[in-house]
């Protein structure tokens, strides 16, 4: 990640430049202590077309989505992208680094804190960042899941959509 730039969450603009590799610094409070984590986010594309958000690692032990989104970060040609692509390979980075389903920092299942609202802890801070800077501007959201260590999934896909804009 040598060519990734560190940027504060408040300064992250998903539409900045044709290609952006950002380690987004997300500050959070937990048990009266202030701390920070970094979330890798890559954006690419410009011009007409939809804004697509692709996430992996909502649950840290679901490796297939993380691998897929990370491979796109490495291998996708930005010139081939019409519109905007926002890639978040390890959405719940604390859980991914620990290799477990939920965050070891606050025990939260980040998939259960949307919409994020108020509250402390890294999971809510990540959710607030993602909600404000990636979900709201996205026309399409693809959140890749698999069974992880605790579940067994049959091969399937599930697509949910929304009508209109918010």
């Amino acid at each position: 990640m040598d060519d990734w730039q560190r940027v504060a969450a408040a300064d992250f603009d998903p539409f900045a430049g044709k290609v952006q590799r950002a380690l987004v610094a997300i500050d959070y409070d937990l048990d009266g202590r202030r701390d920070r984590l970094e979330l890798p986010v890559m954006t690419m594309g410009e011009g007409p077309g939809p804004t697509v958000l692709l996430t992996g690692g909502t649950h840290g032990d679901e490796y297939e989505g993380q691998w897929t989104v990370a491979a796109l970060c490495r291998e996708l040609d930005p010139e081939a992208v019409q519109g905007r692509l926002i890639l978040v390979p390890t959405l719940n980075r604390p859980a991914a680094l620990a290799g477990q389903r939920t965050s070891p920092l606050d025990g939260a299942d980040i998939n259960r804190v949307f919409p994020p609202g108020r509250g402390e802890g890294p999971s809510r801070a990540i959710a607030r960042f993602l909600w404000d800077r990636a979900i709201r501007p996205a026309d399409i959201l693809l959140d890749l899941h698999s069974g992880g260590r605790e579940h067994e999934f049959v091969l399937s896909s599930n697509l949910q959509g929304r009508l209109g804009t918010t």
Side-chain angles (χ1 to χ4, degrees):
M1 293 191 153
D2 293 337
D3 59 345
W4 292 61
Q5 302 298 312
R6 286 182 164 74
V7 60
D11 297 329
F12 177 79
D13 177 1
F15 299 99
K18 179 124 180 137
V19 177
Q20 178 180 198
R21 291 175 182 87
L23 291 173
V24 179
I26 299 175
D27 295 322
Y28 65 91
D29 296 310
L30 183 63
D31 299 329
R33 182 177 48 92
R34 189 123 177 105
D35 211 337
R36 169 179 287 170
L37 60 84
E38 289 183 330
L39 186 70
V41 181
M42 183 173 180
T43 63
M44 65 176 77
E46 61 185 1
T51 296
V52 177
L53 169 60
L54 181 59
T55 62
T58 298
H59 298 111
D61 65 346
E62 296 178 346
Y63 303 112
E64 295 86 344
Q66 296 176 63
W67 183 89
T68 300
V69 179
L72 286 171
C73 288
R74 287 188 311 274
E75 299 171 20
L76 188 60
D77 178 4
E79 298 297 324
V81 176
Q82 292 287 318
R84 194 67 168 170
L85 185 58
I86 305 169
L87 301 165
V88 183
T90 56
L91 174 60
N92 192 345
R93 192 154 191 235
L97 292 173
Q100 61 189 52
R101 186 167 184 80
T102 59
S103 173
L105 303 177
D106 60 9
D109 179 344
I110 200 168
N111 206 33
R112 303 291 181 253
V113 300
F114 284 95
R118 296 191 179 270
E120 69 171 18
S123 297
R124 282 198 173 5
I126 293 168
R128 279 191 293 273
F129 163 76
L130 193 74
W131 186 263
D132 292 337
R133 300 296 175 141
I135 292 174
R136 286 186 180 214
D139 299 304
I140 300 167
L141 164 59
L142 299 169
D143 183 26
L144 303 179
H145 288 265
S146 59
R149 293 188 302 168
E150 298 178 16
H151 301 90
E152 182 177 330
F153 283 5
V154 295
L155 292 177
S156 66
S157 63
N158 180 4
L159 182 61
Q160 298 170 327
R162 67 177 178 181
L163 297 175
T165 58
T166 56

